[in-house]
Amino acid sequence: MHRTTAHQLRRTTALRRIGVGIGSGRVRNVIAATLTGSVLLLATPAPAGAVELDWRGVGVSSLSYMKTVTVNGNTYDVTRGLDNGIWFRFNNGAWQPLGGFQAQSYYSPAIVQWQDRVMVAHQGVDNQIYWTAVQNPSANQWEPWHRIEGDAAAWGGISLESLGSTVLFDWADVNGLYRITSVHTRPDGTRSQTAISFPNSQWHVGPQGSGTTGTRRPSPIMAWNEAAGGEMEHIYLVGTDNHVWQIWRNPATGATGAASQVPGGAVCISGVSAARMGYQDYTVAPGDPQYANQRRQMLACIGADGYVWINTSSTGGDTWDGWHQPAGALAPSTDTPAINATVNEFSIDINWNGARSGLFPDHAIVEKTIR
């Protein structure tokens, strides 16, 4: 795969509210899964050696987290504004809307490095999936919005992952079944789309008799699996039992493994986010200096208490350190936390719930760095 240099994420503290003065639009009601019992998450101490900075505001108010990628030294941030529109900024400049009805969403957008470019995608207000790629970010020039072909009615938002010249769209359909659609760029610049479907039995990760999975947005990452001897797709999702589940998939063959619950008894009232350290546009094999960092993974969700919980692994998801709350002040979030990763650190971005804590304004984007 093409290799590019990864750079540290850059942030700004210049105050700017996104979408101020624009109507918030029709907000769709999302039915949360009912929790049984009073058990939240089984708390364990933070893993030894982790360095956590304090929560800090980044000077933005929106309706979702902020998701970030850095490509060739340029930083791209994307979020859902107070107008339910998709907004972006380039190198910490002014926030700008991506524009049009097709840029309206009730869910957080996704962003990914696509070779030397950037792709942004989201679930539209019609539940269909839309995407665009940057042409000239400094001039706010993007491709027109493309709609995924066929009926790609999603539920709970989507995730993106990059695999060379291919971007995988990971989503749960309106029946709760997990699906993948890939967009591939050929050498001549033309593109093709392929839909990948899964047998229902592969994705019934809830309790027996629960029917469809009822998954929220799946969170996949690409990593090298030493046992399998190649690059594997790790898929994390929340089942109907509100626990976090992990599934491995071989992108070369399409073979999938059985679903297994991430240890620790997580009970999440949101989706789960996942990320790994290391270079984000390709993976490395054992023996590479970045292999150890690439094996470091992090999961995050909102627990049944309304606060952010995380789980970390230094073994590529083979073993986990246990669910725990980040150090410092409890962090209430109105949206699934986002995890942004560089070669040597994680940052957790959340949309602050001001009704539960006045430490930051309501709907402020707040982040914490963990090394």
Side-chain angles (χ1 to χ4, degrees), residues 145-182:
W145 284 101
H146 305 275
R147 180 180 175 275
I148 291 294
E149 299 170 5
D151 184 11
W155 184 82
I158 67 167
S159 294
L160 296 177
E161 55 183 319
S162 180
L163 186 61
S165 59
T166 300
V167 172
L168 302 179
F169 294 69
D170 296 73
W171 48 286
D173 69 13
V174 292
N175 297 313
L177 300 177
Y178 181 67
R179 302 192 183 279
I180 296 178
T181 295
S182 67

Side-chain angles (χ1 to χ4, degrees), residues 10 33 57 61 84 92-93 123 129 153 157 159-160 177 201 247 270 301 306 313 323:
R10 292 176 287 178
S61 294
N84 285 324
N92 299 322
Q123 176 184 335
I129 299 173
S159 294
L160 296 177
L177 300 177
S201 60
I247 303 164
S270 71
C301 75
S313 172
W323 289 95

Side-chain angles (χ1 to χ4, degrees), residues 13-72:
T13 55
L15 294 177
R16 182 176 182 86
R17 293 181 63 85
I18 299 177
V20 172
I22 304 176
S24 61
R26 178 175 58 87
V27 178
R28 189 173 72 175
N29 292 325
V30 179
I31 301 176
T34 301
L35 301 181
T36 58
S38 59
V39 177
L40 303 181
L41 286 160
L42 182 60
T44 60
V51 177
E52 297 191 28
L53 303 185
D54 292 334
W55 291 103
R56 59 188 181 278
V58 298
V60 177
S61 294
S62 72
L63 292 179
S64 76
Y65 54 60
M66 181 172 70
K67 193 69 176 174
T68 300
V69 297
T70 300
V71 181
N72 293 333

Side-chain angles (χ1 to χ4, degrees), residues 205-223:
V205 297
Q208 292 292 326
S210 63
T212 58
T213 61
T215 59
R216 301 171 183 88
R217 183 202 66 216
S219 293
I221 56 177
M222 296 303 302

